[in-house]
Amino acid sequence: MKTVFSYQDRTDLYKMKKKGIAWEGIQMVDLKGQYLKIKDEVDRAVLDCMASTQFINGPQVKAFQTAFEEYLGVKHVIPCANGTDALQIAFMALGLQPGDEVIVPAFTYVATAEVIALLRLKPVMVDVDPHTFNITAELIEPAITHKTKAIVPVHLFGQSADMEPIMALAAKHGLYVVEDNAQAIGADYTLRNGQVKKTGTIGHIGSTSFFPSKNLGCFGDGGALMTNDDGLAARLRMIANHGQTKKYYHDEVGVNSRLDSLQAAILNIKLKHLDEYAAARQKVAAFYDRNLGGIPTLQMPARQNNSSHVFHQYTLRVKSDDRAKLQQWLKNKGIPSMIYYPVPLYKQKAFSDYAPAGFELPVTEQLCREVMSLPVHTEMDLELMGYIADGVSSFFAAKNNN
Ligand SMILES: *Cc1c(COP(=O)(O)O)cnc(C)c1O
């Protein structure tokens, strides 16, 4: 079924397509390849779930919750319907008032700020570190006012924000910390005393997403919250379940946000592979580092020594105005690339109310102009990595020869 195809066959991918050879091309993420490796186990679990007809709150959900708590070393996991809901439920649980300020990075996926605005809270956008792309305590501190109630570090692209100084700053000002861990599930953060914690379990609440292309993805939408605080866990669980404390007794206005039994069944299987998936991504990253590190125009992804990097994305900075040309060059070779993210939050029309006209953050501006993500996923072999790295190098080699 799968055509054997050499990536090294540079004579070109388009000819192959034209000849009608079935090949899906190089992808940013190869969900099909990943599925085929665990197909028997996944299919069996899905069929069992269907046969049981316990589609909602089946035993798979509780089993996944427990396994995930154990994996993360956290007291409570609260599964929910998606990562955006997880963030919304987190802010609802904190009992914030309209107008309260929540500090977020300006360089992130929109979901982070969206739920804050939706709850009539005020997202306050701060700049990020030019190397890690994450917010830091130093960047957060000047944005704290008497209205600030919470900070949302986003562990962007798979590496933890430097959490220990952020937690210290939050403690000093009496603020909550909600970690948006949608991109870094499984990453480790090492405290100064040597203790290692999983991202998402360091702040008061952590949230994550099981969107299919995330590092731990299900076959549809899914999400979860995590906390070590018993009181917050009870509130999160209640809010995710219609504000219900006892069946048909509703203490608060909540939402309906559940993880389907089918998705939990799939996640139960994929969780066992999460560390091996991270290792596969890290291998790709190390290969790119080795093979592209010598190109002066490229800034390679920074590695913090107190955090592992699970490479949800492998994101370069193209420090020249060649990004669009490079993308086109790669495209001609059948190599996809993506811009995460092209527009700062404060320049999104939907968020114009939260940023005065002309508001700009220098690093965020620069990153939106320069970042470019290369394919990184669990199914890449050396040949494919080589083809992609050569594709990138050849652009700069051709440029230097002109
Ligand atoms: C994917 C993502 C989300 C939202 O997750 P969904 O499950 O798609 O709602 C939130 N924050 C970040 C940083 C993400 O990457």
Side-chain angles (χ1 to χ4, degrees):
M1 182 186 80
K2 200 169 174 187
T3 311
V4 178
F5 171 76
S6 165
Y7 301 109
Q8 296 293 350
D9 179 6
R10 295 162 203 217
T11 45
D12 88 26
L13 308 175
Y14 289 124
K15 273 185 210 152
M16 306 218 32
K17 265 194 204 152
K18 276 184 205 141
K19 278 191 224 153
I21 294 172
W23 187 60
E24 285 160 14
I26 302 169
Q27 297 167 77
M28 291 300 287
V29 53
D30 181 2
L31 295 179
K32 190 183 260 182
Q34 196 187 57
Y35 164 57
L36 290 175
K37 283 194 188 149
I38 52 171
K39 183 178 184 306
D40 290 347
E41 210 183 345
V42 166
D43 290 1
R44 209 177 317 121
V46 167
L47 289 172
D48 283 351
C49 183
M50 297 215 285
S52 80
T53 66
Q54 284 185 274
F55 301 120
I56 301 291
N57 288 334
Q60 297 86 351
V61 180
K62 182 76 187 168
F64 172 65
Q65 178 191 315
T66 307
F68 205 32
E69 284 166 351
E70 206 163 289
Y71 173 84
L72 294 169
V74 73
K75 224 163 150 190
H76 305 281
V77 160
I78 299 97
C80 66
N82 59 68
T84 309
D85 272 12
L87 285 162
Q88 180 178 337
I89 294 162
F91 292 113
M92 290 173 78
L94 296 178
L96 308 185
Q97 298 305 312
D100 283 350
E101 295 178 2
V102 180
I103 295 175
V104 299
F107 186 64
T108 184
Y109 182 57
V110 68
T112 317
E114 191 174 34
V115 297
I116 295 169
L118 199 65
L119 295 170
R120 301 277 173 247
L121 307 169
K122 184 181 173 199
V124 174
M125 302 159 202
V126 299
D127 216 354
V128 296
D129 179 90
H131 300 283
T132 64
F133 312 145
N134 283 324
I135 54 173
T136 64
E138 291 74 31
L139 292 162
I140 295 164
E141 188 152 31
I144 296 175
T145 72
H146 67 282
K147 283 193 163 175
T148 308
K149 291 290 153 57
I151 302 167
V152 190
V154 179
H155 306 311
L156 204 68
F157 304 146
Q159 183 167 240
S160 183
D162 196 1
M163 287 300 289
E164 200 164 12
I166 293 175
M167 293 309 293
L169 180 68
K172 186 171 128 192
H173 293 272
L175 309 176
Y176 289 111
V177 175
V178 176
E179 297 175 73
D180 181 344
N181 197 28
Q183 299 190 4
I185 201 71
D188 290 319
Y189 179 81
T190 309
L191 302 173
R192 258 171 268 150
N193 67 9
Q195 195 191 354
V196 178
K197 290 190 177 187
K198 289 283 180 202
T199 51
T201 70
I202 306 160
H204 301 92
I205 302 177
S207 68
T208 199
S209 162
F210 306 123
F211 185 82
S213 64
K214 299 282 156 94
N215 287 33
L216 178 60
C218 59
F219 290 8
D221 275 310
L225 289 139
M226 49 224 83
T227 184
N228 282 305
D229 183 310
D230 297 342
L232 279 176
R235 283 191 57 75
L236 294 167
R237 213 160 264 134
M238 172 185 75
I239 289 164
N241 186 25
H242 298 290
Q244 180 171 277
T245 41
K246 196 164 97 180
K247 202 159 177 68
Y248 303 123
Y249 289 81
H250 305 273
D251 288 10
E252 262 181 59
V253 175
V255 296
N256 171 24
S257 187
R258 292 183 284 239
L259 181 69
D260 291 341
S261 307
L262 278 168
Q263 301 302 346
I266 293 161
L267 287 166
N268 266 325
I269 293 159
K270 289 188 75 177
L271 179 60
K272 289 184 274 179
H273 296 279
L274 183 56
D275 287 344
E276 140 210 337
Y277 289 161
R281 289 170 177 275
Q282 285 158 349
K283 212 168 126 188
V284 179
F287 184 93
Y288 287 153
D289 282 355
R290 267 198 314 281
N291 288 279
L292 301 175
I295 300 171
T297 318
L298 297 180
Q299 180 185 301
M300 315 307 287
R303 313 297 189 87
Q304 248 166 252
N305 52 19
N306 59 2
S307 173
S308 64
H309 198 321
V310 293
F311 286 100
H312 176 59
Q313 297 297 341
Y314 186 91
T315 305
L316 297 161
R317 283 176 63 182
V318 185
K319 299 176 73 84
S320 67
D321 51 12
D322 284 332
R323 183 176 67 177
K325 277 184 231 149
L326 172 57
Q327 279 200 289
Q328 186 57 49
W329 176 276
L330 294 174
K331 195 174 169 201
N332 291 342
K333 295 175 179 294
I335 301 169
S337 61
M338 293 291 284
I339 310 298
Y340 303 115
Y341 296 93
V343 182
L345 266 186
Y346 49 80
K347 284 194 174 157
Q348 299 286 359
K349 223 160 123 190
F351 290 90
S352 56
D353 284 356
Y354 304 101
F359 180 83
E360 279 195 353
L361 297 169
V363 175
T364 296
E365 287 293 315
Q366 207 174 353
L367 293 181
C368 289
R369 278 196 307 271
E370 294 181 355
V371 288
M372 193 189 92
S373 301
L374 292 176
V376 55
H377 58 73
T378 58
E379 309 305 310
M380 289 172 73
D381 56 17
L382 271 174
E383 200 183 6
L384 177 54
M385 296 177 217
Y387 181 70
I388 295 170
D390 286 353
V392 175
S393 317
S394 65
F395 173 79
F396 293 100
K399 222 184 125 193
N400 289 338
N401 290 336
N402 284 334

